[in-house]
Amino acid sequence: MFARDSDIVELDGPPAFDYGEKVISRKNVKNDGTFYGSDVGDVLVRKGDIGYVKSIGSFLQQFYIYGIDFVDRGYVVGMKGRELRSLDARDTTDDADEAFSDEEAIT
């Protein structure tokens, strides 16, 4: 049995980001050994790096994993939604408890 990061199953809902969406990294991301050509522990993405959603997959049947194309770095890195923030979305606040209007709830 493997440990989960949380009790939330993101796959129960739609992905937080769309293909081609412009995103920014909320944290530094180090190689966990799955990125070929880089040593374990090397920083692959720095907080503030900008990229574009190239692919959407899943991990542990729980999380969406977004393949982010960091054009300036020349490679794609898999990241969780909580590690990213949209630069294209209308409302980019981080307050998840904020109420939504009826119009936003429909879309």
Side-chain angles (χ1 to χ4, degrees), residues 29 40 44-45 47 49 56 65 70 73 75 80 89 100:
V29 176
V40 173
L44 300 174
V45 177
K47 181 178 180 178
D49 283 353
I56 302 173
I65 296 295
F70 291 96
R73 293 189 173 272
Y75 49 73
K80 290 182 179 179
F100 294 102

Side-chain angles (χ1 to χ4, degrees), residues 21-32:
E21 190 166 345
K22 187 176 183 180
V23 294
I24 188 167
S25 175
R26 298 175 79 166
K27 60 183 264 183
N28 291 336
V29 176
K30 295 180 180 180
N31 184 12
D32 61 0

Side-chain angles (χ1 to χ4, degrees), residues 79-100:
M79 298 179 70
K80 290 182 179 179
R82 68 177 183 223
E83 298 172 320
L84 301 165
R85 182 172 55 89
S86 176
L87 294 177
D88 286 342
R90 290 183 301 171
D91 181 12
T92 57
T93 61
D94 291 334
D95 187 2
D97 296 330
E98 186 172 299
F100 294 102

